[in-house]
Amino acid sequence: MRKCIVLASQSPPRPTNFRVGAILISRADNDPTFSDDRILSTGYTMELAGNTHAEQCCFSNFAAVHSVSEEEVATVLPVEEGRKLVMYVTMEPCGKRLSGNAPCVQRIIKTREGGRPGVHKVYFGVKEPGTFVGESEGCKMLESAGIEWEYVGGFEKEILKVAMAGHENAEQKVKEALGEAGGDDAEQ
Ligand SMILES: Nc1nc(=O)c(N)c(NC[C@H](O)[C@H](O)[C@H](O)COP(=O)(O)O)[nH]1
Ligand SMILES: [Zn+2]
């Protein structure tokens, strides 16, 4: 998650989205300390041209290395016995985008097309604040697609400060979002 926060802080601050970082990992099944994790790709919001999201850039970067388009990334993601693909993102993948572009949950689900294992689980450090799309749908959509997710607590303040750096009175917004997230340092 710390690596994702560093990625997110490379994103150009905008009032119209959040600065998010994402990492795609190949993880061994029987490796409780995750010591055998292999980072396959990284991405951060607006890393690539256009109005791009961190998860989208993460997939795009991997696809580019394998000379396919982001839409076809499922065809080049590794399928290895005894290993699964997991994704770490600072913020819950979006289920809806004000711009109308394809949401990241859809892109994550797409990695499983053609019966491929695709992304097995998503870890994130904050639920999406209500700033743009109100109640976030990401988790529910992942669940209904059979993709596991896990909330990694303890990074809320750091993640939201980076995510909202481009927003009007960001400090106040972060405080409110922390209140939403129920972060343990919400009262500060
Ligand atoms: N998970 C995630 N990764 C990102 O890289 C990013 N920027 C968001 N942000 C979610 C937020 O809901 C959308 O940024 C707004 O809804 C505006 O939509 P656009 O970004 O313009 O498509 N969420
Ligand atoms: Zn997104």
Side-chain angles (χ1 to χ4, degrees), residues 35-46:
S35 55
D36 186 23
D37 273 2
R38 295 174 195 157
I39 292 182
L40 300 179
S41 187
T42 63
Y44 58 83
T45 311
M46 311 251 328

Side-chain angles (χ1 to χ4, degrees), residues 16-18 20 45 51 53-55 92 97-99 128 132:
T16 49
N17 65 18
F18 297 114
V20 177
T45 311
N51 180 2
H53 278 196
E55 304 90 319
E92 172 191 15
R97 293 174 57 164
L98 277 189
S99 67
E128 178 175 351
F132 300 107

Side-chain angles (χ1 to χ4, degrees), residues 46-183:
M46 311 251 328
E47 175 184 4
L48 300 175
N51 180 2
T52 51
H53 278 196
E55 304 90 319
Q56 178 181 358
C57 294
C58 189
F59 287 134
S60 283
N61 288 331
F62 189 81
V65 166
H66 292 82
S67 323
V68 300
S69 71
E70 193 242 333
E71 287 68 44
E72 295 154 328
V73 72
T75 61
V76 292
L77 286 172
V79 178
E80 296 171 275
E81 192 56 38
R83 300 189 76 87
K84 287 191 178 61
L85 297 180
V86 301
M87 205 166 200
Y88 279 78
V89 196
T90 50
M91 184 177 290
E92 172 191 15
C94 60
K96 202 167 60 190
R97 293 174 57 164
L98 277 189
S99 67
N101 291 344
C104 299
V105 168
Q106 198 179 307
R107 297 170 197 274
I108 293 169
I109 294 170
K110 207 165 173 304
T111 62
R112 306 187 119 184
E113 67 186 3
R116 294 181 180 85
V119 172
H120 172 74
K121 182 168 184 177
V122 179
Y123 296 81
F124 55 86
V126 290
K127 280 190 63 65
E128 178 175 351
T131 317
F132 300 107
V133 294
E135 184 60 28
S136 64
E137 300 287 315
C139 297
K140 291 186 204 109
M141 292 166 74
L142 287 173
E143 240 158 58
S144 48
I147 297 177
E148 290 180 32
W149 57 269
E150 184 173 324
Y151 182 92
V152 179
F155 298 95
E156 291 85 356
K157 190 167 191 173
E158 228 178 319
I159 288 175
L160 289 168
K161 274 169 83 171
V162 169
M164 297 175 144
H167 294 197
E168 290 285 303
N169 47 58
E171 212 163 304
Q172 183 47 32
K173 291 264 182 63
V174 169
K175 278 207 173 75
E176 285 158 18
L178 278 172
E180 252 179 66

